[in-house]
Amino acid sequence: TLASQRGALVSASIEIYRAVCSGLLPTPAKSHYTFNLRDLSKVIQGVESSHTVGAFSELIRLWAHENLRIYSDRLSTTRTA
């Protein structure tokens, strides 16, 4: 069931958050690359706010979309995207 996959999605979200934090470090030119737990929370909230997910594949698509929406919106160039 979808509820049984909740833990796996949370764990994967934490892994992505850690990868983003370690791979996209802020620099003077890219000071907006400062990520915090609020970003991780936004991913989880975005997934949890949808009540129309019926299949596991839809849940994964929504989860991937939320990750892209939260993290890629801050990228300043297409090369870093």
Side-chain angles (χ1 to χ4, degrees):
T1 65
L2 295 177
S4 66
Q5 302 299 324
R6 190 173 284 174
L9 284 180
V10 170
S11 296
S13 297
I14 291 170
E15 286 183 42
I16 289 175
Y17 169 75
R18 287 180 179 160
V20 166
C21 287
S22 65
L24 297 174
L25 298 174
T27 64
K30 297 178 181 177
S31 60
H32 55 281
Y33 284 8
T34 303
F35 301 95
N36 57 45
L37 288 176
R38 187 177 303 129
D39 300 309
L40 176 61
S41 172
K42 287 179 187 177
V43 171
I44 301 300
Q45 287 174 358
V47 172
E48 289 291 322
S49 69
S50 175
H51 301 288
T52 60
V53 175
F56 182 68
S57 61
E58 292 174 2
L59 179 65
I60 294 300
R61 286 184 61 187
L62 175 63
W63 174 79
H65 169 77
E66 289 299 320
N67 276 287
L68 284 172
R69 185 179 69 82
I70 298 301
Y71 298 118
S72 70
D73 282 353
R74 291 218 199 132
L75 303 180
S76 59
T77 63
T78 55
R79 196 176 78 137
T80 56

